[in-house]
Amino acid sequence: MRGFCYIMLASLMFFGQAMCAYAQDTAEYEKRKAKLEKDIELLDRQLDEIVSRSRGELARLTLVRAKVSGRKALIKESDRQIRRYSDEIYLTQKKINRMNAELDTLSLYYEKLIRSAYKNRDARVWYMYILASDDLGQAFRRYSYFRNLSSQARAQGERIRTARQALEDERSRLRILKADAEEVRKSRQAELVSLQKEESEIVSIVAQLKKNRARYEKELAAKKKQVEALDRKIEQIIREAMKASQSKGAKQEIDYKLAEEFSKNKGKLPWPVQGVVVDRFGQHYHPVFTNVKLPFNNGISIAVSKGAEVSAVFNGVVKQIVVMPGYNQCVLVQHGNYFSFYCKLKTTAVKPGDQVKTGQRIGTVDTIGGETQLHFQIWQGSKPQNPESWLR
């Protein structure tokens, strides 16, 4: 019986650890699922705004594609969770089978104890059996056996009740697991239906874009001019800031200690806003006219809720605030020989020369043509960096 208890204890410890890991994974799944659902809801609101303002199909295409990407990630999360449920259901069923076998063993031993107690229920038989002992030691052993028989039966009965309760708990947990797994499967199916609709919408938008190529090429040319104007302005500001800091008798030299701290936080910087990245860093081609090269993107565009607040990603000094066509207000913050840029702002809460701290409010995002998006850049000297490599 001692060996059986050790096995039972080890089994409970193992499954207790497995349950903790399972609960933690489930909580992480719920967190990731909620974030993706929030992102998709945000993109839906922006799409409604664009449609109501009769905005260009290209803007719609960008947002729908971002939505499809989020939807696929959500389905992937559901698939992962379904696999976890399947594994857990399998392990729980296996545990229930083993507990059933262990309960059979306990019940068999209990039956033997009860039969033995029944045979020896007459006290006169006990006395005669003890008196017939060959020596005192045997008499004492026989006396101990009879004395402990009833207590052993009671203890065994308690063990059986405990085992039955544990078995029922596991059966109940199995029922819950199966119900939860079914809910995730239903949710996944609904996401697949939404995904098919969104992919059909992309096909429709692409067809519309192809039909009006001349108009969209004109819009693209105008957008290209805005991007190039912003890039030139940023390069000019950085050039002037670096030159002023390095000139003889400069009032404000480059803070290389701050730059080193900024560099050490690569991959750890807080996001300037919470939202969905809809336009990424680097060279891209037109999503429909694939031979048309788009202007190099020196930053990222993050779709956010209306009036979203923008925060500084690191300690620094506000170098300049400029207004640019298509980008509204832009705040430029210097961090030694690093720079961060926050564009498409409606309001600003800082002014040139202000010292800002990590997380300090910079301003609020504007809604331009139905799009509420922060355009964000990071530069090291005169070299643009991929912001997503720097943000945590």
Side-chain angles (χ1 to χ4, degrees):
M1 286 306 296
R2 183 178 295 176
F4 170 77
C5 290
Y6 285 150
I7 293 169
M8 194 72 173
L9 181 61
S11 174
L12 288 171
M13 286 175 66
F14 171 77
F15 282 102
Q17 291 169 352
M19 274 300 295
C20 287
Y22 168 75
Q24 188 176 356
D25 275 2
T26 300
E28 284 297 317
Y29 160 72
E30 292 294 343
K31 186 178 176 181
R32 290 192 297 269
K33 180 173 177 280
K35 172 66 170 64
L36 288 165
E37 287 174 340
K38 186 178 178 182
D39 289 349
I40 290 169
E41 185 184 341
L42 171 63
L43 292 169
D44 269 332
R45 288 200 300 271
Q46 295 221 354
L47 278 164
D48 289 342
E49 187 74 19
I50 286 171
V51 171
S52 68
R53 290 171 178 251
S54 301
R55 284 286 297 165
E57 296 298 312
L58 185 57
R60 276 186 63 207
L61 181 61
T62 300
L63 290 176
V64 174
R65 282 190 164 175
K67 218 172 119 179
V68 164
S69 178
R71 189 82 64 191
K72 285 180 177 177
L74 196 55
I75 290 169
K76 189 176 179 181
E77 285 294 331
S78 295
D79 287 340
R80 179 180 177 276
Q81 190 64 9
I82 287 168
R83 285 196 298 273
R84 282 207 58 79
Y85 274 128
S86 297
D87 291 345
E88 195 64 23
I89 287 168
Y90 169 76
L91 289 173
T92 304
Q93 186 61 63
K94 195 174 178 181
K95 183 182 178 184
I96 287 171
N97 294 342
R98 183 161 60 252
M99 289 176 79
N100 269 319
E102 289 165 353
L103 186 58
D104 288 344
T105 303
L106 286 170
S107 299
L108 186 64
Y109 181 63
Y110 183 65
E111 286 172 10
K112 287 180 180 178
L113 285 172
I114 293 300
R115 279 198 300 271
S116 181
Y118 180 79
K119 288 177 183 177
N120 298 287
R121 65 189 183 282
D122 192 335
R124 288 172 299 178
V125 176
W126 292 18
Y127 296 145
M128 293 299 295
Y129 189 56
I130 292 168
L131 291 171
S133 301
D134 294 335
D135 53 43
L136 191 60
Q138 188 182 60
F140 181 74
R141 285 193 297 275
R142 288 179 176 181
Y143 169 74
S144 298
Y145 169 75
F146 287 123
R147 188 185 64 181
N148 293 331
L149 190 60
S150 60
S151 62
Q152 285 178 19
R154 283 195 300 273
Q156 188 68 5
E158 185 59 36
R159 279 194 285 270
I160 288 171
R161 281 191 293 275
T162 301
R164 280 177 177 159
Q165 183 58 55
L167 179 60
E168 186 50 45
D169 290 344
E170 286 303 311
R171 284 173 174 160
S172 176
R173 194 169 78 85
L174 181 61
R175 287 192 293 270
I176 293 169
L177 281 169
K178 287 180 176 179
D180 288 347
E182 187 57 32
E183 282 299 312
V184 175
R185 287 190 186 95
K186 286 179 182 177
S187 173
R188 181 186 182 278
Q189 189 57 40
E191 297 299 339
L192 280 172
V193 171
S194 297
L195 179 62
Q196 288 168 356
K197 287 180 181 177
E198 288 155 5
E199 286 179 334
S200 296
E201 188 178 355
I202 286 175
V203 172
S204 174
I205 295 170
V206 167
Q208 188 67 28
L209 279 164
K210 286 180 177 178
K211 194 185 295 182
N212 299 287
R213 176 164 183 159
R215 179 159 64 89
Y216 292 120
E217 283 182 339
K218 188 177 177 181
E219 287 179 2
L220 185 60
K223 176 66 177 174
K224 186 178 180 181
K225 285 182 180 179
Q226 292 176 354
V227 172
E228 288 172 348
L230 178 69
D231 290 346
R232 281 197 305 271
K233 188 64 178 177
I234 289 173
E235 288 170 3
Q236 177 198 334
I237 294 169
I238 291 175
R239 193 165 52 248
E240 289 174 355
M242 298 292 285
K243 187 177 178 181
S245 300
Q246 292 167 351
S247 62
K248 190 176 180 180
K251 291 181 180 178
Q252 187 182 0
E253 295 181 355
I254 293 174
D255 189 342
Y256 285 105
K257 185 179 179 181
L258 179 62
E260 186 181 355
E261 289 175 5
F262 188 93
S263 179
K264 284 179 181 176
N265 279 275
K266 186 171 184 178
K268 302 174 189 175
L269 296 177
W271 284 73
V273 285
Q274 292 302 311
V276 188
V277 177
V278 292
D279 195 7
R280 291 191 146 80
F281 178 87
Q283 183 66 68
H284 306 290
Y285 287 82
H286 195 283
V288 179
F289 314 122
T290 53
N291 60 332
V292 176
K293 188 184 285 188
L294 298 174
F296 190 93
N297 189 0
N298 286 330
I300 57 174
S301 292
I302 309 169
V304 296
S305 300
K306 276 191 173 184
E309 292 194 348
V310 182
S311 304
V313 297
F314 204 72
N315 301 339
V317 181
V318 177
K319 203 65 187 172
Q320 200 167 337
I321 298 175
V322 295
V323 178
M324 300 296 297
Y327 291 92
N328 206 351
Q329 298 186 83
C330 297
V331 174
L332 311 144
V333 181
Q334 184 173 3
H335 320 273
N337 65 333
Y338 287 91
F339 299 83
S340 58
F341 301 88
Y342 313 78
C343 294
K344 297 191 175 182
L345 301 183
K346 183 177 184 179
T347 63
T348 58
V350 292
K351 61 184 183 301
D354 281 357
Q355 297 275 347
V356 294
K357 297 290 185 184
T358 305
Q360 183 176 329
R361 185 170 174 266
I362 295 287
T364 57
V365 182
D366 199 2
T367 300
I368 304 171
E371 296 177 334
T372 309
Q373 298 177 7
L374 173 74
H375 181 70
F376 178 69
Q377 298 187 15
I378 292 177
W379 289 60
Q380 181 183 12
S382 59
K383 295 179 180 178
Q385 307 286 303
N386 182 355
E388 289 187 83
S389 299
W390 287 82
L391 301 171
R392 62 178 173 234

